[in-house]
Amino acid sequence: MSLQLTPDMASRFANLALNHVTRQYPNKLTHALAGAEDIQGPRALHPIFYGSYDWHSCVHGYWLLLRMLARYPQLPEAERIIALVETHFTAENVAGEMRYLQQAQHQGFERPYGWAWFLALAQQVDHLPLPQAKGWATTLSPISDFFVNSFCDFLPKATYPLRTGSHFNSAFALALALDYARSTAQQPLASLIEETALRWHLQDKNCQAWEPGGDEFLSPSLMEAELMRRVLSPQAFIIWFDEFLPQLAEGQPATLLTPATVTDRRDGKIGHLDGLNLSRAWCQRALARALPADDQRVTLLEASAEKHLHSALPHLDTDYLGEHWLATFALLALEA
C-alpha cells in the first residue's frame, strides 16, 4: 500500500466524494428551529452543502474534489467535478447558505470545525489553476467573509481552548484557518490566530496525552503541537516541543504512538477512531519534518505514522458513516 498520494488514489478519493457530496440522505442536521417554518429538508436549508451526511463533511468533500483536481488536472473525474461545482457554486445558492448562517438561532453554527473547513475550501478555490476558479472564489466570498468575521469576533472572547478530540477542537480549526489567512493575505486574522494560539498553549508542558477517547478523530495532543509548529519559529517550536512532550524520544506517552483499535465501523462514533489514526499520521509526519534530521524522534514519529496509516487506509469505504468523510483525512496524511 502506497503511503504517498498516487493518481489511482486520487481517482478513488474523487469518486468517493462524488458519490456523497450530492447524496442528501441519510443526513444528520445540526439545526435550530425558531418556528414551524424552519422544518425543512437538508437541500432547502443548505442549497450547496446538503450532502455527505452533514454540512461540514460536504464542505470538505468539495475541498477534496478540488484538491484532487489541482494535483491531477487530467484526473478522469475532472469534467464531472467541474460540472458539479459549476452547478452548485452559484450566487443564488450562496445567498441561500447565507440566509441560514445569518439567522439569529444559528449563531455559532459549525463553530469552529465547519468554519475552518469552509476557509480551507475557499483557499483551495483561490489557488486553483482553472479559468473558472476566479468566478467561483468571487461567488463564495460572502461566506468566506462571514467566517473570517466570525473568527475575529469569537477568538478574543474565547478564554479557554477546547481540547476535545472531535469537531469542537480549537487547535485543528486554528491550524486550517491560519493557513487560509496567510495564503490570502488576511493579516488581521492571521495575527489574531497566532496571538490566540500563544495565549492558549505557549505555557503548556508535560502533556499527559490521556487519549484516545471513545469517539475521537483528532489527537488533542498532536493537534496542539501541529498548531504550534505553524505559529512558532522553527527553533522556538523545537524548544516548545521538547517541553510539551519531554519523553517522546523514549516512546512516551506510548498511547500517541499506538493506533487506536476500531471494533465496529458501522457505529459512527467508534468509527471516528479510523479518522484519529489518519489525523495522527498527518500530525506525526508534519512534526517529524520540523525536527532536525538526526533527531531520534524523527524515526519514531515516521514509523508511528506508517503504522497509523496502514491501520486506517483499507477502511475508507467500509460503511457510509466513514465513507462520507474519511478520504479527506487520508489525503491530509498522505500529503503531509
Side-chain angles (χ1 to χ4, degrees), residues 17 139 213 217 245 254 294 296:
T139 299
F217 62 91
L245 289 170
D294 60 351
Q296 62 182 321

Side-chain angles (χ1 to χ4, degrees), residues 167-193:
H167 305 89
F168 304 103
N169 182 280
S170 48
F172 176 85
L174 263 58
L176 264 60
L178 181 59
D179 286 351
Y180 165 83
R182 288 173 171 170
S183 73
T184 57
Q186 298 262 3
Q187 189 53 48
L189 176 60
S191 296
L192 177 59
I193 291 171

Side-chain angles (χ1 to χ4, degrees), residues 79-91:
E79 289 187 8
R80 289 176 61 198
I81 294 170
I82 293 170
L84 174 71
V85 173
E86 286 276 88
T87 300
H88 285 77
F89 288 13
T90 67

Side-chain angles (χ1 to χ4, degrees), residues 82-128:
I82 293 170
L84 174 71
V85 173
E86 286 276 88
T87 300
H88 285 77
F89 288 13
T90 67
E92 180 181 3
N93 286 346
V94 166
E97 295 282 351
M98 286 299 299
R99 279 193 297 273
Y100 188 91
L101 294 172
Q102 292 173 317
Q103 290 177 327
Q105 71 268 29
H106 299 138
Q107 184 181 18
F109 172 74
E110 289 285 353
R111 184 180 78 196
Y113 186 77
W115 295 9
W117 267 121
F118 186 86
L119 294 182
L121 171 61
Q123 178 184 352
Q124 184 59 65
V125 172
D126 194 58
H127 290 83
L128 195 63

Side-chain angles (χ1 to χ4, degrees), residues 271-287:
H272 272 179
L273 295 170
D274 276 322
L276 174 66
N277 289 333
L278 293 168
S279 64
R280 278 185 173 181
W282 165 46
C283 292
Q284 288 165 345
R285 283 180 147 189
L287 293 168

Side-chain angles (χ1 to χ4, degrees), residues 38-50:
D38 293 324
I39 303 174
Q40 300 183 64
R43 190 161 191 175
L45 297 168
H46 303 296
I48 303 175
F49 305 114
Y50 57 85

Side-chain angles (χ1 to χ4, degrees), residues 7 20 46 53 72 85 90 105 186 199 241 265 288 298 326:
H20 66 67
H46 303 296
Y53 190 69
Y72 299 102
V85 173
T90 67
Q105 71 268 29
Q186 298 262 3
R199 171 166 59 88
F241 193 55
R265 291 182 170 86
V298 172
L326 281 173

Side-chain angles (χ1 to χ4, degrees), residues 110-305:
E110 289 285 353
R111 184 180 78 196
Y113 186 77
W115 295 9
W117 267 121
F118 186 86
L119 294 182
L121 171 61
Q123 178 184 352
Q124 184 59 65
V125 172
D126 194 58
H127 290 83
L128 195 63
L130 279 178
Q132 303 95 323
K134 186 175 181 180
W136 296 343
T138 300
T139 299
L140 292 176
S141 62
I143 307 178
S144 305
D145 293 344
F146 179 85
F147 286 131
V148 167
N149 291 332
S150 296
F151 270 115
C152 289
D153 290 342
F154 173 67
L155 291 179
K157 61 186 179 184
T159 305
Y160 311 106
L162 285 166
R163 302 176 188 270
T164 180
S166 61
H167 305 89
F168 304 103
N169 182 280
S170 48
F172 176 85
L174 263 58
L176 264 60
L178 181 59
D179 286 351
Y180 165 83
R182 288 173 171 170
S183 73
T184 57
Q186 298 262 3
Q187 189 53 48
L189 176 60
S191 296
L192 177 59
I193 291 171
E194 292 161 2
E195 293 162 6
T196 303
L198 294 173
R199 171 166 59 88
W200 283 346
H201 299 305
L202 187 60
Q203 302 306 318
D204 288 355
K205 295 177 174 63
N206 298 308
C207 177
Q208 298 302 301
W210 285 319
E211 54 178 273
D215 70 347
E216 292 180 331
F217 62 91
L218 295 167
S219 163
S221 309
L222 295 176
M223 198 63 245
E224 177 180 335
E226 179 56 8
L227 171 63
M228 295 302 279
R229 182 187 68 81
R230 287 165 159 81
V231 169
L232 295 170
S233 69
Q235 190 56 44
F237 170 72
I238 292 172
I239 294 170
W240 179 89
F241 193 55
D242 289 347
E243 295 183 338
F244 183 64
L245 289 170
Q247 294 181 292
L248 185 59
E250 289 77 51
Q252 298 296 327
T255 184
L256 289 182
L257 306 172
T258 305
T261 300
V262 187
T263 57
D264 184 359
R265 291 182 170 86
R266 288 172 174 78
D267 182 307
K269 293 294 189 178
I270 295 175
H272 272 179
L273 295 170
D274 276 322
L276 174 66
N277 289 333
L278 293 168
S279 64
R280 278 185 173 181
W282 165 46
C283 292
Q284 288 165 345
R285 283 180 147 189
L287 293 168
R289 288 202 321 273
L291 299 173
D294 60 351
D295 191 314
Q296 62 182 321
R297 293 172 295 183
V298 172
T299 300
L300 184 148
L301 287 167
E302 289 177 343
S304 179

